[in-house]
């Protein structure tokens, strides 16, 4: 039986429940974070723990355990479950609410789940996105609310796309579950500076890319897409994933461009090097 975490305890998977009066269920109020294991080693453990506590603070949710205890419980379930290349999902709910609207005592749970590998051709040929005008509320918060992305899944599928690219007031922000980058005609790598989730992979890809390329974090406009030579997304399972089409617009020559391909290779090496440095 898999081991999960519920509040400050390790429990069997079949004992992991939250109450029906939890604000996460009633109003979609809660935060989470998600990272993957390479082998059994957490990838960017501290980054994800920090972002999780920042999201919780912003939503005024008090986690029943502190950072140190949470990390040690997580390491314990990883060791107990032995699921290589899996994911760790940390969730903090709004808690059982007496009024159906007020914050209760938050429930913490942590799940260790298998990750279905994405098809290899997404990495080698790239993906299509469709644009959608939408503003994520409190974009710095990794909220459990993915209403628009899930609602739009049938349309995304029908159009042969993988996901939505959000824009608002002419500015591009991010993809439902990834950050978005273009390579502009001057070979600059550009990504939105504000109004997006601070993706952990965004951060590491930017710092890695800065060793070889110019990277700009700034407002990015919808009208810039037509001049983009390349585009890609970053995320925990996507790493660096090329984008070959956005709506009817083919990016570059419709194949992953040279800079994106180089970043993909560099980032795989970067992750390997990072993991090698982590304790056994
Ligand atoms: C809205 C949003 N933006 C960006 C990302 C990418 O973040 P990370 O690189 O930490 O996976 C995610 C991840 O789920 C997300 O939900």
């Amino acid at each position: 039986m898999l081991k999960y975490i519920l509040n400050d305890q390790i429990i069997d998977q079949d004992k992991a429940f939250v109450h029906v009066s939890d604000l996460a269920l009633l109003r979609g109020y809660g935060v989470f974070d998600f990272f993957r294991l390479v082998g059994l080693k957490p990838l960017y453990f501290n980054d994800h723990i920090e972002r999780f506590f920042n999201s919780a603070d912003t939503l005024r949710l008090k986690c029943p355990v502190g950072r140190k205890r949470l990390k040690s419980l997580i390491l314990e379930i990883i060791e107990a479950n032995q699921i290589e290349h899996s994911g760790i999902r940390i969730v903090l709910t709004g808690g059982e609410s007496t009024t159906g609207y007020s914050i209760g005592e938050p429930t913490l749970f942590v799940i260790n789940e298998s990750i279905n590998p994405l098809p290899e051709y997404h990495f080698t040929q790239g993906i299509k996105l469709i644009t959608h005008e939408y503003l994520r509320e409190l974009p710095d918060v990794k909220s459990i609310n993915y209403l628009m992305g899930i609602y739009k899944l049938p349309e995304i599928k029908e159009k042969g796309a993988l996901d939505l690219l959000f824009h608002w007031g002419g500015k591009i922000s991010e993809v439902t579950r990834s950050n978005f980058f273009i390579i502009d005609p001057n070979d600059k790598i550009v990504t939105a500076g504000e109004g997006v989730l601070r993706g952990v992979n965004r951060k590491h890809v930017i710092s890695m890319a800065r060793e070889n390329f110019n990277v700009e974090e700034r407002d990015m406009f919808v009208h810039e897409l037509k001049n983009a030579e390349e585009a890609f997304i970053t995320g925990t399972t996507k790493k660096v994933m090329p984008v070959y089409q956005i709506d009817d617009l083919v990016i570059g020559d419709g194949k992953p461009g040279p800079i994106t391909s180089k970043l993909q290779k560099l980032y795989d090496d970067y992750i390997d090097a990072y993991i090698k440095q982590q304790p056994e």
Side-chain angles (χ1 to χ4, degrees):
M1 175 83 64
L2 283 181
K3 299 291 180 193
Y4 286 175
I5 298 165
L6 185 63
N7 294 320
D8 62 352
Q9 283 183 348
I10 294 183
I11 53 156
D12 285 336
Q13 180 187 28
D14 64 355
K15 302 281 182 314
F17 295 105
V18 293
H19 198 267
V20 288
S21 68
D22 198 299
L23 216 53
L25 285 171
L26 298 183
R27 306 284 181 183
Y29 200 86
V31 298
F32 81 108
D33 222 293
F34 180 79
F35 59 89
R36 64 189 180 93
L37 306 181
V38 179
L40 287 176
K41 290 184 184 177
L43 182 60
Y44 311 137
F45 203 7
N46 286 336
D47 289 309
H48 287 280
I49 295 288
E50 275 316 302
R51 186 173 65 186
F52 172 71
F53 277 94
N54 287 338
S55 296
D57 279 352
T58 307
L59 290 200
R60 292 185 286 276
L61 298 177
K62 189 163 166 13
C63 186
V65 296
R67 287 167 171 71
K68 217 171 140 205
R69 172 84 177 140
L70 179 57
K71 282 180 71 178
S72 92
L73 286 168
I74 290 174
L75 290 175
E76 259 188 72
I77 62 165
I78 292 171
E79 191 55 34
N81 294 332
Q82 294 285 319
I83 328 176
E84 291 200 357
H85 309 295
S86 59
I88 296 286
R89 185 178 300 272
I90 316 168
V91 184
L92 188 63
T93 72
E96 291 173 35
S97 180
T98 47
T99 63
Y101 206 66
S102 54
I103 293 174
E105 197 140 309
T107 299
L108 169 76
F109 61 91
V110 181
I111 297 173
N112 183 190
E113 60 194 39
S114 304
I115 295 180
N116 290 332
L118 295 165
E120 191 52 27
Y121 65 87
H122 286 168
F123 294 96
T124 53
Q125 296 168 25
I127 56 157
K128 176 181 170 184
L129 299 172
I130 54 175
T131 56
H132 185 61
E133 189 157 21
Y134 180 71
L135 182 65
R136 273 185 62 241
E137 295 168 280
L138 305 176
D140 280 348
V141 173
K142 197 159 163 67
S143 149
I144 56 171
N145 179 345
Y146 282 75
L147 192 129
M148 188 52 72
I150 294 171
Y151 167 68
K152 285 275 193 181
L153 277 176
E155 184 184 331
I156 294 167
K157 195 166 171 217
E158 183 196 315
K159 293 187 172 158
L162 190 75
D163 220 327
L164 300 174
L165 176 60
F166 294 140
H167 60 94
W168 185 259
K171 289 183 197 167
I172 290 176
S173 55
E174 62 197 318
V175 173
T176 325
R177 291 167 295 164
S178 330
N179 291 108
F180 177 78
F181 295 70
I182 58 166
I183 318 290
D184 81 359
N186 302 314
D187 283 355
K188 271 196 194 134
I189 300 173
V190 182
T191 193
E194 301 284 329
V196 294
L197 185 78
R198 304 267 138 198
V200 171
N201 294 273
R202 173 189 185 279
K203 177 182 113 172
H204 285 277
V205 167
I206 289 174
S207 84
M208 178 199 79
R210 284 210 161 113
E211 288 178 15
N212 293 290
F213 302 97
N214 264 322
V215 184
E216 282 185 358
E217 294 175 66
R218 59 158 172 84
D219 287 348
M220 188 203 294
F221 296 91
V222 175
H223 66 74
E224 290 183 77
L225 290 179
K226 61 179 184 307
N227 296 323
E229 306 211 314
E230 302 179 31
F232 64 89
I233 60 174
T234 61
T236 293
T237 54
K238 276 118 189 164
K239 302 189 287 182
V240 171
M241 185 176 277
V243 175
Y244 70 84
Q245 189 173 342
I246 301 169
D247 298 329
D248 293 330
L249 178 76
V250 174
I251 305 291
D253 57 8
K255 296 193 191 83
I259 295 180
T260 306
S261 301
K262 174 148 193 199
L263 289 174
Q264 282 185 293
K265 163 90 183 68
L266 288 173
Y267 198 47
D268 283 345
D269 294 346
Y270 179 99
I271 291 175
D272 283 350
Y274 177 95
I275 285 295
K276 280 206 185 91
Q277 281 174 9
Q278 302 309 303
E280 288 303 324

